[in-house]
Amino acid sequence: MDFTNKTDGPAPVWDGAGSLEQLYRLGRRMLTGGEPGNSPMEAAFLFQKALGLDRGALLARGRENADPDRAKEYLALVERRLAGEPLQYLLGEWEFFGLPFQVGPGVLIPRPETELLVEAALAAVEDLPSPALLDLCSGSGCVPVALGSCRPDAQVWGVELSPAAMDYFRRNITTNSCGNVTAVPGDVLALPPAVTERRYQVITANPPYIRRGELPGLQAEVQREPALALDGGEDGLDFYRRLPALCYPLLAPGGLLALEIGEDQGAAVSALVSQAGFCQVMVKNDLSGLARVVLGRTPSG
Ligand code: GLN
C-alpha cells in the first residue's frame, strides 16, 4: 500500500516517538490541512531534506522508528513552511535546467519559465564555435551557469548587483564545475569594464519586472524573495527602457538580445527593443502559453 498518498484516516499525532511513516504523514497532514490537492509533494521534499529518505526509501522503511532529532528537524521545517518560507529556501537547493542551484534568503528562486531564456540563447549559438555570452541581473546564476554547462566551449559572463545573490552565484559556478562562467559584481545600468571590453553573440537578462504597486499583493512566498530582483518600477518596465540601448553596442553583428518579460509586457517591451534599433523583434511564449521572452537581433553587418 502506498501510504505516501493516503489522505483519509485520523490525523496522526507525534509525541516524540513513532515510525517514519507516522512522522511523514503528520507533516503532510500539517502542510495540506487534509486536502490531497494541496501540494503533498512538499512533505516528501522536506522529509527527504531532514531524514535523508526519498519516497521509495520511505515506502520500504516506513515501519522503522524515526530518529527523534531528525524528526524534530522535519517538523520544524514543516512549521517554517506553514509560516510562509519558500520550500526552495528551506531545501537550500533547487533544480533549474536539470542542474542543482543553491538558493536561500536574498536570492530569487530560479523559475521553470526562465528555462525559455536559456533555450533561446542556446539555439542562437548552436552553430557558432566558442561563443561569448553575457547575462545581466544574474541572481543565483541559473541562466549563465546553465549556458556554460551546456556549452563548455563558450565563455559566459554574468553581472549581479546584490552581494547576497553574488555569493550564491559564485557557489553555483563551483557546484556545477563551470570554469567558463565568470561572476561579475556590478550594476547592469552602469556596466563594469570587465564586461564592456568585448562583443557578445548573445545577451540574456531576467530583470525585475513586477509593477511596484503589485509587490504587496504577491504570494507570501514571493514576498520572502528580494524586492531588488522583482521591483521593475512604477509600470514594471524600468529595465526594459534602459537595457536594449545599453546592450546594443555590446552585441556582435547579428547578435541576439533575449529578455524575460512578464506575461502582459510583450507589446510594450517589443516596442522598446525595436526603438533601440533591434530587428527581427519577436515574443516567445512559455509552456503555459504566456508571453515570456522578447528577442531582438542587431543587424548582421
Ligand atoms: N517571474 C517572477 C515572478 O513572477 C518575477 C521575476 C522578475 O521580476 N524578473 O515572481
Side-chain angles (χ1 to χ4, degrees), residues 153-192:
D153 63 323
Q155 287 295 323
V156 189
W157 287 263
V159 181
E160 173 53 44
L161 181 62
S162 148
M166 200 61 192
D167 207 46
Y168 285 106
F169 186 180
R170 291 202 171 101
R171 277 150 59 185
N172 287 325
I173 290 174
T174 308
T175 309
N176 289 290
S177 311
C178 282
N180 57 338
V181 179
T182 307
V184 180
D187 184 349
V188 299
L189 301 178
L191 282 168

Tab-separated table of all heavy atoms in Angstrom, residues 153-192:
chain	number	residue	atom	x	y	z
A	153	ASP	N	32.413	25.026	-24.458
A	153	ASP	CA	33.338	25.795	-25.301
A	153	ASP	C	33.048	27.297	-25.251
A	153	ASP	O	33.824	28.103	-25.770
A	153	ASP	CB	33.235	25.320	-26.759
A	153	ASP	CG	31.839	25.554	-27.348
A	153	ASP	OD1	30.857	25.398	-26.597
A	153	ASP	OD2	31.750	25.903	-28.536
A	154	ALA	N	31.927	27.699	-24.641
A	154	ALA	CA	31.571	29.121	-24.571
A	154	ALA	C	32.271	29.787	-23.385
A	154	ALA	O	32.686	29.116	-22.438
A	154	ALA	CB	30.060	29.270	-24.415
A	155	GLN	N	32.394	31.119	-23.468
A	155	GLN	CA	32.768	31.899	-22.293
A	155	GLN	C	31.527	32.689	-21.904
A	155	GLN	O	30.896	33.323	-22.759
A	155	GLN	CB	33.917	32.864	-22.618
A	155	GLN	CG	35.275	32.184	-22.803
A	155	GLN	CD	35.780	31.530	-21.515
A	155	GLN	OE1	35.576	32.061	-20.426
A	155	GLN	NE2	36.408	30.374	-21.641
A	156	VAL	N	31.185	32.636	-20.630
A	156	VAL	CA	29.951	33.272	-20.171
A	156	VAL	C	30.270	34.217	-19.013
A	156	VAL	O	30.985	33.839	-18.088
A	156	VAL	CB	28.925	32.214	-19.686
A	156	VAL	CG1	27.560	32.869	-19.432
A	156	VAL	CG2	28.776	31.077	-20.698
A	157	TRP	N	29.718	35.426	-19.091
A	157	TRP	CA	29.845	36.385	-18.006
A	157	TRP	C	28.456	36.681	-17.464
A	157	TRP	O	27.483	36.732	-18.237
A	157	TRP	CB	30.483	37.694	-18.493
A	157	TRP	CG	31.949	37.572	-18.777
A	157	TRP	CD1	32.974	37.914	-17.934
A	157	TRP	CD2	32.569	37.077	-19.977
A	157	TRP	NE1	34.186	37.655	-18.543
A	157	TRP	CE2	33.972	37.146	-19.785
A	157	TRP	CE3	32.082	36.566	-21.192
A	157	TRP	CZ2	34.879	36.733	-20.767
A	157	TRP	CZ3	32.986	36.157	-22.159
A	157	TRP	CH2	34.371	36.236	-21.936
A	158	GLY	N	28.358	36.886	-16.154
A	158	GLY	CA	27.073	37.237	-15.548
A	158	GLY	C	27.282	38.397	-14.591
A	158	GLY	O	28.239	38.386	-13.812
A	159	VAL	N	26.396	39.397	-14.670
A	159	VAL	CA	26.520	40.581	-13.818
A	159	VAL	C	25.400	40.582	-12.782
A	159	VAL	O	24.230	40.395	-13.132
A	159	VAL	CB	26.451	41.876	-14.660
A	159	VAL	CG1	26.605	43.108	-13.759
A	159	VAL	CG2	27.523	41.870	-15.749
A	160	GLU	N	25.770	40.800	-11.512
A	160	GLU	CA	24.777	40.828	-10.430
A	160	GLU	C	25.162	41.902	-9.409
A	160	GLU	O	26.319	42.024	-9.046
A	160	GLU	CB	24.685	39.442	-9.769
A	160	GLU	CG	23.815	39.371	-8.538
A	160	GLU	CD	22.403	39.915	-8.746
A	160	GLU	OE1	21.771	39.604	-9.775
A	160	GLU	OE2	21.943	40.677	-7.869
A	161	LEU	N	24.163	42.655	-8.992
A	161	LEU	CA	24.383	43.789	-8.082
A	161	LEU	C	24.406	43.376	-6.611
A	161	LEU	O	25.218	43.871	-5.825
A	161	LEU	CB	23.263	44.817	-8.316
A	161	LEU	CG	23.277	46.100	-7.497
A	161	LEU	CD1	24.534	46.918	-7.778
A	161	LEU	CD2	22.039	46.950	-7.812
A	162	SER	N	23.505	42.472	-6.228
A	162	SER	CA	23.341	42.152	-4.806
A	162	SER	C	24.466	41.248	-4.299
A	162	SER	O	24.707	40.180	-4.861
A	162	SER	CB	21.990	41.447	-4.613
A	162	SER	OG	22.062	40.518	-3.552
A	163	PRO	N	25.148	41.662	-3.212
A	163	PRO	CA	26.221	40.813	-2.653
A	163	PRO	C	25.697	39.449	-2.205
A	163	PRO	O	26.388	38.441	-2.361
A	163	PRO	CB	26.750	41.617	-1.467
A	163	PRO	CG	26.328	43.033	-1.729
A	163	PRO	CD	25.044	42.950	-2.513
A	164	ALA	N	24.477	39.420	-1.657
A	164	ALA	CA	23.927	38.137	-1.188
A	164	ALA	C	23.720	37.194	-2.374
A	164	ALA	O	24.089	36.009	-2.320
A	164	ALA	CB	22.606	38.357	-0.464
A	165	ALA	N	23.147	37.720	-3.461
A	165	ALA	CA	22.927	36.888	-4.646
A	165	ALA	C	24.271	36.462	-5.245
A	165	ALA	O	24.437	35.319	-5.680
A	165	ALA	CB	22.093	37.649	-5.675
A	166	MET	N	25.224	37.401	-5.238
A	166	MET	CA	26.563	37.135	-5.793
A	166	MET	C	27.207	35.912	-5.130
A	166	MET	O	27.872	35.111	-5.775
A	166	MET	CB	27.407	38.394	-5.538
A	166	MET	CG	28.601	38.523	-6.393
A	166	MET	SD	28.083	38.616	-8.129
A	166	MET	CE	29.626	38.411	-8.880
A	167	ASP	N	26.981	35.819	-3.827
A	167	ASP	CA	27.515	34.710	-3.060
A	167	ASP	C	26.962	33.370	-3.583
A	167	ASP	O	27.709	32.407	-3.792
A	167	ASP	CB	27.062	34.934	-1.618
A	167	ASP	CG	27.994	34.312	-0.641
A	167	ASP	OD1	29.206	34.494	-0.827
A	167	ASP	OD2	27.495	33.623	0.279
A	168	TYR	N	25.658	33.333	-3.821
A	168	TYR	CA	25.039	32.116	-4.374
A	168	TYR	C	25.546	31.859	-5.791
A	168	TYR	O	25.820	30.717	-6.166
A	168	TYR	CB	23.514	32.240	-4.377
A	168	TYR	CG	22.916	32.092	-3.001
A	168	TYR	CD1	22.429	33.191	-2.314
A	168	TYR	CD2	22.848	30.842	-2.379
A	168	TYR	CE1	21.887	33.062	-1.043
A	168	TYR	CE2	22.312	30.706	-1.119
A	168	TYR	CZ	21.831	31.821	-0.455
A	168	TYR	OH	21.302	31.675	0.800
A	169	PHE	N	25.637	32.921	-6.575
A	169	PHE	CA	26.105	32.805	-7.963
A	169	PHE	C	27.477	32.115	-7.985
A	169	PHE	O	27.691	31.124	-8.710
A	169	PHE	CB	26.158	34.216	-8.567
A	169	PHE	CG	26.479	34.311	-10.030
A	169	PHE	CD1	26.532	35.570	-10.640
A	169	PHE	CD2	26.738	33.195	-10.824
A	169	PHE	CE1	26.833	35.705	-11.990
A	169	PHE	CE2	27.039	33.325	-12.179
A	169	PHE	CZ	27.094	34.581	-12.752
A	170	ARG	N	28.397	32.602	-7.146
A	170	ARG	CA	29.753	32.025	-7.130
A	170	ARG	C	29.713	30.557	-6.708
A	170	ARG	O	30.390	29.711	-7.286
A	170	ARG	CB	30.649	32.828	-6.183
A	170	ARG	CG	30.950	34.231	-6.697
A	170	ARG	CD	32.235	34.791	-6.062
A	170	ARG	NE	32.629	36.028	-6.714
A	170	ARG	CZ	32.408	37.247	-6.209
A	170	ARG	NH1	31.823	37.393	-5.031
A	170	ARG	NH2	32.779	38.323	-6.881
A	171	ARG	N	28.895	30.277	-5.682
A	171	ARG	CA	28.801	28.883	-5.224
A	171	ARG	C	28.225	27.991	-6.314
A	171	ARG	O	28.630	26.832	-6.470
A	171	ARG	CB	27.958	28.800	-3.954
A	171	ARG	CG	28.803	29.116	-2.722
A	171	ARG	CD	28.050	29.740	-1.606
A	171	ARG	NE	26.946	28.941	-1.100
A	171	ARG	CZ	26.108	29.371	-0.171
A	171	ARG	NH1	26.251	30.580	0.347
A	171	ARG	NH2	25.152	28.596	0.258
A	172	ASN	N	27.279	28.526	-7.075
A	172	ASN	CA	26.649	27.710	-8.120
A	172	ASN	C	27.590	27.453	-9.296
A	172	ASN	O	27.484	26.416	-9.960
A	172	ASN	CB	25.336	28.353	-8.558
A	172	ASN	CG	24.269	28.191	-7.485
A	172	ASN	OD1	24.230	27.149	-6.795
A	172	ASN	ND2	23.426	29.193	-7.299
A	173	ILE	N	28.507	28.376	-9.532
A	173	ILE	CA	29.540	28.123	-10.545
A	173	ILE	C	30.397	26.936	-10.100
A	173	ILE	O	30.661	26.002	-10.857
A	173	ILE	CB	30.429	29.381	-10.748
A	173	ILE	CG1	29.630	30.494	-11.444
A	173	ILE	CG2	31.686	29.028	-11.543
A	173	ILE	CD1	30.385	31.811	-11.555
A	174	THR	N	30.787	26.967	-8.823
A	174	THR	CA	31.641	25.906	-8.277
A	174	THR	C	30.900	24.570	-8.252
A	174	THR	O	31.417	23.556	-8.735
A	174	THR	CB	32.082	26.272	-6.842
A	174	THR	OG1	32.639	27.585	-6.893
A	174	THR	CG2	33.099	25.301	-6.306
A	175	THR	N	29.681	24.578	-7.702
A	175	THR	CA	28.893	23.336	-7.598
A	175	THR	C	28.748	22.663	-8.956
A	175	THR	O	28.786	21.442	-9.069
A	175	THR	CB	27.468	23.643	-7.071
A	175	THR	OG1	27.587	24.421	-5.907
A	175	THR	CG2	26.696	22.386	-6.755
A	176	ASN	N	28.545	23.477	-9.985
A	176	ASN	CA	28.312	22.911	-11.316
A	176	ASN	C	29.580	22.844	-12.161
A	176	ASN	O	29.507	22.588	-13.370
A	176	ASN	CB	27.213	23.711	-12.030
A	176	ASN	CG	25.838	23.455	-11.417
A	176	ASN	OD1	25.289	22.365	-11.555
A	176	ASN	ND2	25.300	24.420	-10.699
A	177	SER	N	30.722	23.076	-11.510
A	177	SER	CA	32.042	22.980	-12.161
A	177	SER	C	32.093	23.742	-13.486
A	177	SER	O	32.540	23.208	-14.501
A	177	SER	CB	32.416	21.513	-12.424
A	177	SER	OG	32.219	20.749	-11.283
A	178	CYS	N	31.603	24.989	-13.467
A	178	CYS	CA	31.584	25.799	-14.688
A	178	CYS	C	32.747	26.789	-14.688
A	178	CYS	O	32.560	27.987	-14.412
A	178	CYS	CB	30.254	26.532	-14.809
A	178	CYS	SG	28.935	25.478	-15.385
A	179	GLY	N	33.909	26.313	-15.010
A	179	GLY	CA	35.090	27.169	-15.067
A	179	GLY	C	35.001	28.216	-16.167
A	179	GLY	O	35.780	29.173	-16.183
A	180	ASN	N	34.056	28.051	-17.078
A	180	ASN	CA	33.907	29.003	-18.188
A	180	ASN	C	32.890	30.110	-17.887
A	180	ASN	O	32.544	30.879	-18.769
A	180	ASN	CB	33.496	28.261	-19.469
A	180	ASN	CG	32.203	27.466	-19.294
A	180	ASN	OD1	31.810	27.120	-18.178
A	180	ASN	ND2	31.521	27.191	-20.390
A	181	VAL	N	32.405	30.155	-16.632
A	181	VAL	CA	31.455	31.209	-16.246
A	181	VAL	C	32.134	32.142	-15.247
A	181	VAL	O	32.760	31.691	-14.289
A	181	VAL	CB	30.179	30.604	-15.605
A	181	VAL	CG1	29.211	31.706	-15.177
A	181	VAL	CG2	29.498	29.644	-16.575
A	182	THR	N	32.013	33.451	-15.489
A	182	THR	CA	32.611	34.450	-14.601
A	182	THR	C	31.513	35.303	-13.987
A	182	THR	O	30.701	35.891	-14.709
A	182	THR	CB	33.565	35.377	-15.391
A	182	THR	OG1	34.493	34.552	-16.102
A	182	THR	CG2	34.319	36.310	-14.466
A	183	ALA	N	31.480	35.358	-12.657
A	183	ALA	CA	30.513	36.202	-11.947
A	183	ALA	C	31.125	37.579	-11.750
A	183	ALA	O	32.193	37.707	-11.150
A	183	ALA	CB	30.165	35.575	-10.601
A	184	VAL	N	30.448	38.610	-12.264
A	184	VAL	CA	30.976	39.975	-12.198
A	184	VAL	C	30.048	40.820	-11.320
A	184	VAL	O	28.872	40.996	-11.662
A	184	VAL	CB	31.042	40.604	-13.615
A	184	VAL	CG1	31.597	42.026	-13.549
A	184	VAL	CG2	31.858	39.730	-14.555
A	185	PRO	N	30.557	41.325	-10.171
A	185	PRO	CA	29.700	42.178	-9.359
A	185	PRO	C	29.517	43.531	-10.031
A	185	PRO	O	30.481	44.084	-10.566
A	185	PRO	CB	30.478	42.329	-8.040
A	185	PRO	CG	31.850	41.811	-8.287
A	185	PRO	CD	31.902	41.155	-9.627
A	186	GLY	N	28.300	44.039	-10.026
A	186	GLY	CA	28.110	45.361	-10.614
A	186	GLY	C	26.668	45.636	-10.982
A	186	GLY	O	25.809	44.753	-10.916
A	187	ASP	N	26.450	46.895	-11.391
A	187	ASP	CA	25.119	47.390	-11.749
A	187	ASP	C	24.957	47.278	-13.262
A	187	ASP	O	25.779	47.818	-14.011
A	187	ASP	CB	25.038	48.857	-11.296
A	187	ASP	CG	23.663	49.464	-11.517
A	187	ASP	OD1	22.828	48.835	-12.200
A	187	ASP	OD2	23.438	50.573	-11.004
A	188	VAL	N	23.903	46.637	-13.710
A	188	VAL	CA	23.716	46.460	-15.156
A	188	VAL	C	23.450	47.794	-15.857
A	188	VAL	O	23.609	47.903	-17.071
A	188	VAL	CB	22.579	45.467	-15.488
A	188	VAL	CG1	22.885	44.094	-14.911
A	188	VAL	CG2	21.235	45.966	-15.000
A	189	LEU	N	23.032	48.809	-15.100
A	189	LEU	CA	22.766	50.119	-15.711
A	189	LEU	C	24.048	50.970	-15.778
A	189	LEU	O	24.046	52.055	-16.356
A	189	LEU	CB	21.666	50.855	-14.937
A	189	LEU	CG	20.333	50.088	-14.872
A	189	LEU	CD1	19.306	50.846	-14.048
A	189	LEU	CD2	19.797	49.777	-16.274
A	190	ALA	N	25.139	50.486	-15.185
A	190	ALA	CA	26.452	51.153	-15.280
A	190	ALA	C	27.470	50.023	-15.357
A	190	ALA	O	28.197	49.745	-14.418
A	190	ALA	CB	26.697	52.019	-14.050
A	191	LEU	N	27.478	49.341	-16.501
A	191	LEU	CA	28.218	48.076	-16.618
A	191	LEU	C	29.712	48.240	-16.364
A	191	LEU	O	30.342	49.170	-16.885
A	191	LEU	CB	27.982	47.463	-18.000
A	191	LEU	CG	26.637	46.759	-18.177
A	191	LEU	CD1	26.377	46.444	-19.641
A	191	LEU	CD2	26.577	45.488	-17.335
A	192	PRO	N	30.287	47.345	-15.576
A	192	PRO	CA	31.717	47.432	-15.280
A	192	PRO	C	32.565	47.094	-16.519
A	192	PRO	O	32.127	46.317	-17.376
A	192	PRO	CB	31.922	46.390	-14.172
A	192	PRO	CG	30.734	45.507	-14.221
A	192	PRO	CD	29.615	46.261	-14.868
